[in-house]
Amino acid sequence: DHVEARGPSYRWNLDDFEIGAPLGRGKFGRVYLAREKTTHYMVALKTLYKVELMKGRVEKQVMREIEIQTHLRHPHILQLLTYFHDHKRIYLVLEFAARGELYKELKRQPNERFNEHLSAKYTYQVADALEYCHRNNVIHRDIKPENLLLTYEGNVKLADFGWSVHAPSSKRNTLCGTLDYLPPEMVSGETYDIFVDHWCLGILCYEFLVGKPPFLSDSQQETYVKIKAANIQWPEQITPGAKDLISRLIKRKSWERISMAAVKKHFWIVKYKDLH
Ligand SMILES: CC(C)NC(=O)[C@H]1CCC[C@H]1Nc1nc(Nc2ccc(C(=O)N(C)C3CCN(C)CC3)cc2)ncc1C(F)(F)F
């Protein structure tokens, strides 16, 4: 019997999926491995509790995340395949990234840091995804290891557009979580643009190579001071090529940060991204 193709207007629902093991906890609910019944296609089913969203006053943010992520199509961006809701929950049907969370992979490495090949490969793939986002006038704003997933083949998928906005923006949402990735213009509450992602890519590349972000401090105040000064300590394992790239991204003046195209062509990236 042929499976009638489900047209674009088909209304997906929970009965279309077999729910498997929990993959972990997202911000507003759990994430499950699931399988679409007719095709056996594996997906990640992210559940968001409506009551939690209302309590956190993040409904608009979630709708913005859904709006943005449904329109982005790129090999290094985790695809939101579809979504639906019942009276209690919103369900996001997302691509399943078989190798899981990159930050856990980072912690598993000897000395909790990636070698130059993996650091250059992952930095390149995130730059590729960001170049595409920016071409679509989307700022991610929350680039960090926790928001990156790995496919079975070991490639990056940029996920969690919960903080993304359309450029330029002066949204002053109370940022939660780490300040380590905040660029100076966001620390001082100015309006900002796509170049916040360039700063974060520099912080990310540094954390891949060193195992912790450059401005990590005991207190928020100290982190702010280090960010504003943008003075970085370079451990001995950072090679001149990596230092050159990171220094061109972690610039206090946002317009001086090199473009994503320039990152992709940088001699250190080109030299190490395909080496195994
Ligand atoms: C970016 C965002 C901030 N992060 C998230 O959403 C997190 C929150 C919970 C899970 C993850 N979300 C996703 N995770 C996967 N794949 C995946 C995750 C974990 C493992 C893993 O290591 N275990 C199950 C292990 C297996 C071994 N046991 C011992 C521990 C857990 C293996 C594969 N694909 C898509 C998603 C997505 F994003 F679509 F939901």
Side-chain angles (χ1 to χ4, degrees), residues 113-160:
R113 57 182 192 241
F114 290 131
N115 60 33
E116 288 194 283
H117 158 57
L118 287 179
S119 299
K121 173 185 170 187
Y122 295 152
T123 302
Y124 176 88
Q125 294 183 348
V126 174
D128 198 29
L130 287 177
E131 187 179 42
Y132 171 84
C133 289
H134 297 166
R135 205 178 306 127
N136 288 278
N137 212 19
V138 169
I139 320 175
H140 186 279
R141 282 202 319 168
D142 200 11
I143 298 298
K144 57 186 178 184
E146 291 77 359
N147 286 342
L148 301 176
L149 296 170
L150 286 169
T151 64
Y152 180 76
E153 298 78 17
N155 292 315
V156 155
K157 289 278 183 180
L158 176 55
D160 197 8

Side-chain angles (χ1 to χ4, degrees), residues 22-26 31 44 46 78 94-101 104 146-149 159-160:
L23 292 172
R25 298 193 59 74
V31 181
K46 195 168 191 175
L78 195 80
L94 291 144
E95 269 185 288
F96 170 58
R99 284 256 299 265
E101 299 169 279
K104 287 186 183 171
E146 291 77 359
N147 286 342
L148 301 176
L149 296 170
D160 197 8

Side-chain angles (χ1 to χ4, degrees), residues 58-182:
V58 286
E59 307 97 304
K60 277 192 307 302
Q61 190 178 313
V62 168
M63 293 323 289
R64 190 169 56 224
E65 177 176 356
I66 291 175
E67 172 62 26
I68 285 177
Q69 222 168 335
T70 21
H71 292 97
L72 295 177
R73 296 273 161 90
H74 187 275
H76 296 306
I77 293 178
L78 195 80
Q79 175 105 47
L80 174 62
L81 300 166
T82 190
Y83 61 97
F84 48 86
H85 65 97
D86 59 23
H87 63 296
K88 274 174 67 181
R89 284 164 291 238
I90 296 173
Y91 301 90
L92 305 183
V93 181
L94 291 144
E95 269 185 288
F96 170 58
R99 284 256 299 265
E101 299 169 279
L102 180 139
Y103 83 94
K104 287 186 183 171
E105 185 84 13
L106 183 57
K107 293 276 176 263
R108 272 197 291 268
Q109 301 296 311
N111 301 315
E112 299 194 357
R113 57 182 192 241
F114 290 131
N115 60 33
E116 288 194 283
H117 158 57
L118 287 179
S119 299
K121 173 185 170 187
Y122 295 152
T123 302
Y124 176 88
Q125 294 183 348
V126 174
D128 198 29
L130 287 177
E131 187 179 42
Y132 171 84
C133 289
H134 297 166
R135 205 178 306 127
N136 288 278
N137 212 19
V138 169
I139 320 175
H140 186 279
R141 282 202 319 168
D142 200 11
I143 298 298
K144 57 186 178 184
E146 291 77 359
N147 286 342
L148 301 176
L149 296 170
L150 286 169
T151 64
Y152 180 76
E153 298 78 17
N155 292 315
V156 155
K157 289 278 183 180
L158 176 55
D160 197 8
F161 283 72
W163 285 101
S164 54
V165 286
H166 283 102
S169 165
S170 60
K171 287 213 176 336
R172 292 262 309 142
N173 297 12
T174 46
L175 289 163
C176 55
T178 172
L179 304 173
D180 288 305
Y181 276 71
L182 277 191

